[in-house]
Amino acid sequence: MSQVDDVPARIAMLRGWLERRVSAEQLLWIDQRLSAISSEPRQRELSLAVALAPRKLGKADLELSADERAEAERVRAGLDTTGWSVDQTARILFALASYKGDAAAFASGLDFIFQSGEISEHIALLRGLPLYPASKQLVPRAAEGLRSAMGPVFESVAHRNPFPKEEFNEAQWNQMVLKAFFIESVLAPIQGIDERRNPDLASTLIDYVHERWAAGRAVSPEIWRCIGPYVREQDLATLVKALRSNTEMEANAAALSLSESTLPAAQQALKQHSAVVDRVANQRITWNSICR
């Protein structure tokens, strides 16, 4: 089933979640806005509904039930609503309802909201990326969100969102991962962070490590997560330096990274630092625990 075919099911799912969380009066307002958006040829009704959603519906957490989470996965695989609020869900619903069969017009309508809307509107609408049709046309908008220096805007695209994993090319993906370190965000909530590791990303991150160390600055232990499978002979000294770090988390991360390398020298380095390897094994340390 295509994204376009899925639109009615996705609208019904979001409206159903809201119906169970808002009053009858608030639901009437939502339905009136949906009707106006679907019948109005311009973007005025969509802009108005998106702007008014927090005032009309409040900002309570969405907090899906187990059945609703299962429904989300069934309707849109990979959809993760962690951190969504009621008003954000309504904003995504309104955006979805503005689709009238024209992918370019839909993307243009969202662009209009981004150009005139507030940051909170940007965050909500970017979280909805995996639910919208016209995903190819929305890649530039997602990439623009990643260029934001504001952590919450960047993370609305990068975190708990299947869109980058599915739609970004390698260069866009690598730029997103590198940007996460620049703004001191974390990698663990990025869907596909392990499966989309690649040699160019590993090389770029090694260069970043050298730049940070040359400036006397530390690096996030998570940086080693994207390097291990593609570590080169010339990079081993850098990982061994991290393995010898006095910072336990960094040493643990370097051990995890080296354990994913097939280079004999990498395995030899781990044998020479067996205390770190044993600690990682005994404490069942994983990449998800490294980020905490």
Side-chain angles (χ1 to χ4, degrees), residues 7 11 14 33-40 46 90-100 106 132-133:
V7 169
I11 288 175
L14 296 183
R33 300 281 64 76
L34 289 174
S35 177
I37 290 168
S38 62
S39 60
E40 209 251 346
L46 174 60
R91 282 168 158 169
I92 295 167
L93 171 63
F94 295 146
L96 200 53
S98 72
Y99 178 69
K100 300 181 178 69
F106 177 75
Y132 304 143

Side-chain angles (χ1 to χ4, degrees), residues 11-288:
I11 288 175
M13 177 179 70
L14 296 183
R15 186 190 175 282
W17 293 348
L18 292 170
E19 183 178 13
R20 292 187 279 276
R21 290 166 175 81
V22 301
S23 68
E25 181 181 354
Q26 289 171 321
L27 184 63
L28 177 62
W29 180 79
I30 290 172
D31 287 339
Q32 288 173 337
R33 300 281 64 76
L34 289 174
S35 177
I37 290 168
S38 62
S39 60
E40 209 251 346
R42 296 175 295 177
Q43 300 301 324
R44 188 176 63 84
E45 290 293 343
L46 174 60
S47 298
L48 186 62
V50 167
L52 290 176
R55 191 190 314 168
K56 294 291 186 179
L57 305 173
K59 299 181 179 180
D61 293 339
L62 185 64
E63 292 186 352
L64 297 184
S65 67
D67 287 345
E68 288 171 330
R69 288 195 296 274
E71 178 188 23
E73 183 62 26
R74 187 170 60 252
V75 171
R76 200 328 183 170
L79 182 65
D80 184 345
T81 63
T82 303
W84 287 25
S85 58
V86 166
D87 62 304
Q88 287 177 339
T89 304
R91 282 168 158 169
I92 295 167
L93 171 63
F94 295 146
L96 200 53
S98 72
Y99 178 69
K100 300 181 178 69
D102 185 330
F106 177 75
S108 177
L110 286 190
D111 280 341
F112 178 77
I113 301 294
F114 279 95
Q115 290 164 8
S116 58
E118 300 176 350
I119 296 301
S120 63
E121 296 173 24
H122 296 186
I123 292 171
L125 295 177
L126 289 171
R127 284 182 162 180
L129 281 169
L131 288 169
Y132 304 143
S135 57
K136 299 300 180 189
Q137 288 82 355
L138 293 176
V139 168
R141 174 52 55 193
E144 182 66 26
L146 293 176
R147 282 192 281 274
S148 173
M150 298 181 183
V153 177
F154 171 87
E155 290 169 356
S156 65
V157 178
H159 285 180
R160 301 178 181 87
N161 191 336
F163 189 90
K165 176 184 69 173
E166 297 170 354
E167 302 297 338
F168 281 2
N169 61 32
E170 187 170 286
Q172 291 165 330
W173 177 266
N174 292 353
Q175 186 60 36
M176 178 183 74
V177 174
L178 182 62
K179 179 68 178 290
F181 294 112
F182 274 112
I183 65 170
E184 299 183 347
S185 186
V186 294
L187 298 190
I190 297 178
Q191 292 192 17
I193 188 62
D194 291 329
E195 63 193 82
R196 290 211 57 182
R197 294 181 291 189
N198 60 80
D200 283 348
L201 177 60
S203 176
T204 298
L205 294 179
I206 283 287
D207 291 342
Y208 178 72
V209 170
H210 291 161
E211 290 173 9
R212 295 278 296 186
W213 283 356
R217 306 181 70 179
V219 296
S220 165
E222 277 195 300
I223 202 165
W224 308 111
R225 181 170 187 165
C226 295
I227 295 174
Y230 301 102
V231 66
R232 303 163 300 186
E233 292 279 359
Q234 64 264 37
D235 302 327
L236 282 175
T238 304
L239 270 88
V240 170
K241 181 178 177 179
L243 191 61
R244 294 171 175 163
S245 172
N246 293 327
T247 303
E248 188 173 296
M249 190 72 81
E250 182 167 34
N252 293 343
L256 281 175
S257 185
L258 284 167
S259 71
E260 295 190 81
S261 171
T262 58
L263 294 176
Q267 301 310 311
Q268 185 60 34
L270 289 173
K271 288 180 181 178
Q272 293 172 353
H273 296 80
S274 58
V276 179
V277 175
D278 290 345
R279 182 174 66 218
V280 169
N282 293 336
Q283 297 181 13
R284 299 181 180 178
I285 293 171
T286 66
W287 285 120
N288 286 337

